[in-house]
Amino acid sequence: MAYTDTNATGSMNSDLAMQQYVMGVQSAHALEKQATQLINRQLERIESYPEVAALLQQHLAETEAQIQRLDTILGELGSSPSMIKDLATQMSGNMAAIMHTVMSDEIMKNHFANVAFEAFEQATYRSLIAMAQAAGFPQHVSAYEATLAEEEKTFSTLLGMTEQLTVKFMQLSAEGEQAKR
């Protein structure tokens, strides 16, 4: 077991803390790659919900910027994204989106998944903030805080549109429209 010394600022000075921090950043990178797949698959199919498409387009641009932030941090840490994690999460994102396409309420399933995914991302970035501080990389915190603010805003917007989206889905279904997407 590696010796861990906590210095006066509360930082942990150990190889293990550094390894865990790098792993956390790589996992966040893979998570954002998964997000791009989920968003892209949904954007390919949305027809009746331009308000959802607009939000997803905006968040896709934010997600791509988040990936760049993580790439920069990984470079500063002398590391790179985990290709295995990135590939696995991208496949997972594609599979999740594909699974919803067969549902008669695809838009609702995607909406619920998006809300949950945004909550997951918020927890991830709160964890990265703690890891960066504990591992002695406070200079990275502002990047994570910027991403966290974007995730919180998207979460809030998605959650706030739940009732309106539900009613629209029901109305389109009652009118015989293509409501599922």
Side-chain angles (χ1 to χ4, degrees):
M1 183 167 122
Y3 173 74
T4 301
D5 178 33
T6 304
N7 65 27
T9 64
S11 297
M12 292 180 213
N13 299 319
S14 76
D15 290 339
L16 179 59
M18 177 67 166
Q19 290 170 359
Q20 290 171 333
Y21 179 49
V22 169
M23 182 181 62
V25 179
Q26 289 174 329
S27 293
H29 189 278
L31 182 65
E32 296 303 349
K33 291 298 229 175
Q34 180 180 15
T36 62
Q37 292 302 308
L38 284 167
I39 293 169
N40 281 322
R41 295 301 74 78
Q42 290 177 43
L43 285 171
E44 290 169 357
R45 294 185 51 81
I46 289 180
E47 296 174 0
S48 302
Y49 304 89
E51 66 279 17
V52 175
L55 178 61
L56 291 177
Q57 284 285 3
Q58 175 188 341
H59 197 53
L60 180 59
E62 291 171 345
T63 301
E64 290 168 351
Q66 294 165 3
I67 291 169
Q68 290 302 313
R69 287 182 208 135
L70 293 167
D71 283 337
T72 299
I73 290 169
L74 284 168
E76 290 173 9
L77 295 172
S79 189
S80 60
S82 168
M83 298 307 255
I84 292 171
K85 285 182 183 183
D86 282 3
L87 181 60
T89 58
Q90 287 178 64
M91 289 174 54
S92 171
N94 279 318
M95 291 305 297
I98 289 169
M99 293 300 294
H100 292 167
T101 64
V102 299
M103 305 292 175
S104 62
D105 60 346
E106 174 184 0
I107 189 69
M108 299 309 301
K109 296 292 189 270
N110 284 336
H111 178 72
F112 302 149
N114 290 342
V115 170
F117 199 84
E118 292 304 315
F120 188 90
E121 288 178 306
Q122 288 177 60
T124 297
Y125 286 98
R126 288 177 187 279
S127 178
L128 280 177
I129 290 168
M131 288 178 119
Q133 291 169 333
F137 294 93
Q139 68 273 24
H140 297 160
V141 170
S142 63
Y144 301 139
E145 287 174 338
T147 297
L148 179 59
E150 292 165 350
E151 302 301 355
E152 288 172 339
K153 181 181 175 211
T154 301
F155 173 83
S156 179
T157 303
L158 283 166
L159 193 59
M161 69 189 328
T162 301
E163 292 83 359
Q164 176 187 0
L165 184 64
T166 301
V167 170
K168 184 174 182 178
F169 168 75
M170 293 173 72
Q171 287 172 336
L172 289 173
S173 294
E175 295 168 4
E177 299 283 330
Q178 175 63 289
K180 73 180 265 179
R181 57 185 183 157

